[in-house]
Amino acid sequence: MSAALALLASALWGTSDFLGGTVSRRLRAVQVLAVSQVLSCAVLLAVLGSGLGRGAGAPVHAWLGWSLLAGATWAGAMAALYTALARGTMGVVAPIAAGGTVLPVLLGLAAGERPAPLQLAGVAVALAGVVASAGPDLRGGSRGQGAAIALALVAAVFFGVEVWALARGSAASVPATLLGMRVTSAALVVAAALAARGAQRVGARDLPPLLALGVLDLAATAAYALASRGALVSVVAVLASLYPAVTVLLARQVHGERLRPVQAAGVVAVLAGAVCTSLG
């Protein structure tokens, strides 16, 4: 069951990233995040209902800090990712952002942990894949592509922290952690949207895709949180880290994106590195 939930999270995250990047080509990323997060908060409250009281029975200190950290880093990661997806090549940006799965391993090294050889190999392979997939776009001299790669790297760092915090908080309470995370991220992105000036207004025709985006991401996060409770986080992360493959396929089919051979090899290397890091 946990494996199925992790695969479901991967498919939903990949689809939501594609949809978010596509909508962000018309609206500002902060607008996309603000509206979709407010809508997803409303959906979450409606779904949880009285179930929130049962799920929040765990001590507040066991999940509150983790949910706040997860919400803040998620907001930063998604703002960077959607902007990168709108400016750059989705098939390159999405796998680089997914490389954030190596961050927990690096943090463990700094804290004195000793990762397995396979994990260290995975980190090296993932970093090599980032260089291979991003190199042609950086050498091409396009400021937009270079900025997209930089933002994807920022998103990767934030995603690494967010996934780690989400799993820690969910160990105490899945619904409370999800709600705390959503409220935190919604407050941050709404504040940023209100501070932004000169942005195009969000029209009625934008609401359906934004609602779909919020629900897809919410469902993916819930599936991952539930999967992490029923199995080792390292195993769940392997399956959930495959979501960029969905984004790459959708970008190829809908937007007609084509990668250079070295970029395609880099994308595969990033995904393989993420899997090896989690398996170790």
Side-chain angles (χ1 to χ4, degrees):
M1 185 63 178
S2 293
L5 286 170
L7 286 172
L8 176 62
S10 182
L12 293 173
W13 264 327
T15 304
S16 69
D17 284 354
F18 170 78
L19 181 58
T22 299
V23 177
S24 294
R25 293 181 174 181
R26 184 173 69 253
L27 300 172
R28 287 189 179 183
V30 69
Q31 292 177 294
V32 173
L33 286 170
V35 177
S36 65
Q37 284 305 288
V38 169
L39 293 175
S40 69
C41 276
V43 171
L44 179 59
L45 287 171
V47 170
L48 291 179
S50 60
L52 176 61
R54 295 192 299 270
V60 174
H61 66 81
W63 57 265
L64 181 59
W66 297 118
S67 69
L68 295 176
L69 179 59
T73 51
W74 184 93
M78 296 307 291
L81 177 62
Y82 285 176
T83 304
L85 289 170
R87 295 181 181 180
T89 304
M90 289 187 177
V92 173
V93 168
I96 290 176
T101 54
V102 307
L103 184 61
V105 177
L106 298 178
L107 291 175
L109 276 173
E113 294 181 358
R114 293 295 176 264
L118 183 59
Q119 288 181 303
L120 295 176
V123 172
V125 170
L127 293 177
V130 169
V131 173
S133 59
D137 283 346
L138 293 176
R139 288 196 302 270
S142 170
R143 294 180 59 185
Q145 290 292 347
I149 297 300
L151 287 168
L153 292 171
V154 171
V157 173
F158 280 134
F159 276 136
V161 178
E162 179 257 328
V163 170
W164 176 64
L166 177 62
R168 296 299 179 102
S170 297
S173 172
V174 171
T177 300
L178 284 177
L179 185 59
M181 175 185 173
R182 288 292 155 179
V183 171
T184 300
S185 60
L188 290 174
V189 295
V190 166
L194 293 175
R197 297 184 178 181
Q200 176 183 342
R201 289 189 61 184
V202 177
R205 70 187 184 95
D206 298 314
L207 293 180
L210 292 175
L211 174 60
L213 171 60
V215 171
L216 283 170
D217 184 74
L218 175 61
T221 306
Y224 179 85
L226 290 171
S228 67
R229 285 175 61 94
L232 294 176
V233 174
S234 58
V235 175
V236 171
V238 174
L239 302 176
S241 67
L242 299 177
Y243 70 88
V246 178
T247 306
V248 171
L249 291 174
L250 287 173
R252 182 182 179 89
Q253 293 298 319
V254 178
H255 297 312
E257 288 188 358
R258 296 293 183 270
L259 304 181
R260 300 181 187 183
V262 67
Q263 290 178 304
V267 167
V268 173
V270 171
L271 294 177
V275 170
C276 289
T277 300
S278 300
L279 280 174

